[in-house]
Amino acid sequence: IVTSTIRTHNGKSAIVNYDMQLPRPYDNRWMIQGTQGLYDEDKSAVYVDGRSPKLHEWEPFAPYQTEFDHEWWRAGPGGELSHGGTDDLEMRKFIEAVRGKGPAPVDIYDSVTMSSVVALSGASIAKGSVPIPFPDFTRGKWKSRRPYFAVAG
């Protein structure tokens, strides 16, 4: 089990837990938390600061899913070899980009950044869990490049 703490250039923290080796039933344990709210897939619930009606209580995710539904999710899961979710979405958007000769939803910079977390975590562990600088694969272009995959509908 590896827990990596990533500090962004702007001082934000991202926690990545890698736990795929323990002998247990499959469980992604999706939980996304920010400074103003959080989502828990297992509970199918959210809490949004200043919006959720009861302080410190979960509320159902379904109304938020309806309100903020995006066209990318409405297409539904892929074919029989698919296991649904973001893999299908990513593959669909990639195929659309290739066919339309447009930008890939996750470009090479995003891909190598996501992939490097494993190697950087390993390097940190090997050195006694010291912080390891995260390479800037974009050479500063991250400051001005427009995100594609995370755009709002």
Side-chain angles (χ1 to χ4, degrees):
I1 300 172
V2 176
T3 299
S4 301
T5 303
I6 302 168
R7 187 174 35 147
T8 70
H9 178 76
N10 293 328
K12 306 289 185 191
S13 294
I15 307 296
V16 178
N17 292 306
Y18 178 78
D19 173 11
M20 300 296 286
Q21 304 302 317
L22 293 178
R24 59 171 170 75
Y26 179 78
D27 179 9
N28 266 338
R29 291 184 280 169
W30 279 95
M31 185 165 135
I32 302 170
Q33 183 170 351
T35 57
Q36 297 178 333
L38 63 154
Y39 162 77
D40 187 307
E41 181 184 44
D42 194 45
K43 290 177 174 62
S44 191
V46 296
Y47 174 80
V48 180
D49 189 32
R51 180 167 172 169
S52 292
K54 295 182 181 179
L55 187 61
H56 306 299
E57 287 189 27
W58 292 100
E59 62 178 314
F61 176 61
Y64 287 87
Q65 185 174 15
T66 300
E67 181 178 349
F68 297 103
D69 194 24
H70 193 279
E71 66 176 289
W72 290 357
W73 293 109
R74 287 191 286 273
E80 64 183 54
L81 298 177
S82 162
H83 68 270
T86 57
D87 292 351
D88 292 327
L89 173 60
E90 182 64 28
M91 188 56 72
R92 252 193 338 266
K93 297 312 289 179
F94 177 76
I95 290 168
E96 287 174 17
V98 170
R99 287 180 177 159
K101 298 184 178 164
V106 175
D107 65 15
I108 189 68
Y109 299 111
D110 293 331
S111 295
V112 75
T113 297
M114 288 185 275
S115 299
S116 67
V117 172
V118 173
L120 294 170
S121 295
S124 173
I125 291 166
K127 294 181 179 184
S129 298
V130 300
I132 302 290
F134 209 105
D136 178 4
F137 299 108
T138 70
R139 296 187 182 122
K141 292 181 183 174
W142 62 270
K143 296 174 187 173
S144 60
R145 67 190 264 262
R146 186 175 165 257
Y148 171 71
F149 196 63
V151 296

